[in-house]
Amino acid sequence: MRVLVLGKTGQIGHELCKLLDSKDITYDAPDRSELDICDAVQLQSCLKHYQPTIVVNAAAYNNPVMAENEPSRCFAVNRDAVAELADLCNRMNIILIHASSYRVFDGEKQEPYSEKDPTNPIGVLGTSRLQAEQQIRERCPEHIILRLSWVISDRRPNLLRRQAEQMVKHREVYVTPDQLGCPTPASDVARVIVAVLQQVNCGAKAWGTYHYCASEPVSESGFAEIMIAEASQFWELKVRKLIMAKMDSREGFKPPANATFHCTKILNTFGVHARPWRNALSDIIRLYHEEQKNN
Ligand SMILES: NC(=O)c1ccc[n+]([C@@H]2O[C@H](COP(=O)([O-])OP(=O)(O)OC[C@H]3O[C@@H](n4cnc5c(N)ncnc54)[C@H](OP(=O)(O)O)[C@@H]3O)[C@@H](O)[C@H]2O)c1
């Protein structure tokens, strides 16, 4: 197995490379200076150079607010580059594992989403994710699309860092009580990707779309309450009050209210159990705190 990881500096890419290192699995992970995935020529020569048997695509445009103002940039990274990648993987007999998102759904469902639920993205970012999935299905039959809920880690913008930053700086922090998700540590996502890639490498031909999120759904405001308890071990927090805000006040449009998944298909196919996120929270906050101290 030769793995090529795209997006090594991101939340998921970083944790995936760490885990592959610890498991002695051979991989390559070019950074953006070596490969801009929007450059078709670079993409092709990169695949020719590294000759992977499996590509994990964790490279993405991820800012929902900016995506509304620069849709062409968002579609170039999230859809067009992925379409080209899928074509190349198909032609070169490479398996493609691609990280996708709850944003392919509108979030109106009252229950966790399963893979069979109809998609209906809101906004540019969600649309780009759905169109990427469609391109992969059309162009590269040997693929795994892994849809994820909220991803948290000590790096890059995410719910945990955003809340911690606010709680350190402000007495009042705005949170939404009616947005539900499963904060999934990037290290847990890496565990799932490695479990899947080991099995497809051993011949499991279970191509298709899978949902994964950590167990225990929580609202953004519920997560904030837990964050206050955990983060106050590391910082002198300024926050005294959580203000319940409307969902659309942060992103400028309404993000999906429900980002929770049924993870039965990935359990039944790959034996991947959903893990609770709470146990990982303290470690992630500690790492983020150390990074802040060193900067
Ligand atoms: N973050 C979430 O809450 C979340 C939720 C659900 C699903 N997901 C899925 O998980 C995937 C990865 O998410 P993440 O949170 O790990 O992302 P992230 O932290 O934002 O990292 C994105 C990665 O993509 C790279 N990248 C962006 N544009 C590129 C380009 N043109 N060429 C090469 N590399 C490029 C970035 O490189 P630079 O460091 O150079 O910018 C970075 O390494 C996404 O596909 C997303 O759909 C994420």
Side-chain angles (χ1 to χ4, degrees), residues 227-266:
M227 275 291 292
I228 292 176
E230 292 286 346
S232 55
Q233 297 174 47
F234 299 94
W235 285 279
E236 188 92 30
L237 297 182
K238 253 199 183 161
V239 63
R240 293 291 170 268
K241 192 173 176 192
L242 293 175
I243 312 243
M244 300 301 146
K246 279 187 150 200
M247 263 197 317
D248 53 5
S249 57
R250 205 185 51 235
E251 292 190 2
F253 65 93
K254 205 172 147 225
N258 177 7
T260 66
F261 290 148
H262 277 302
C263 303
T264 323
K265 186 178 171 192
I266 199 163

Side-chain angles (χ1 to χ4, degrees), residues 6-14 30-33 35-39 42 57-63 73 76-78 81 98-103 125 129 146-153 155-159 184 186 189 261:
L6 306 181
K8 76 180 268 195
T9 52
Q11 297 192 77
I12 295 172
H14 177 76
D31 65 17
R32 187 129 41 144
S33 63
L35 170 66
D36 176 349
I37 60 165
C38 297
D39 183 328
Q42 269 185 23
N57 183 31
Y61 180 109
N62 255 337
N63 187 320
R73 177 84 198 126
V77 181
N78 287 355
H98 173 79
S100 186
S101 144
Y102 65 93
R103 286 183 187 270
L125 188 65
R129 296 263 182 260
L146 184 63
R147 290 187 186 141
L148 302 164
S149 183
W150 305 339
V151 177
I152 53 169
S153 77
R155 316 159 54 75
R156 317 275 294 197
N158 65 68
L159 173 68
T184 308
V189 177
F261 290 148

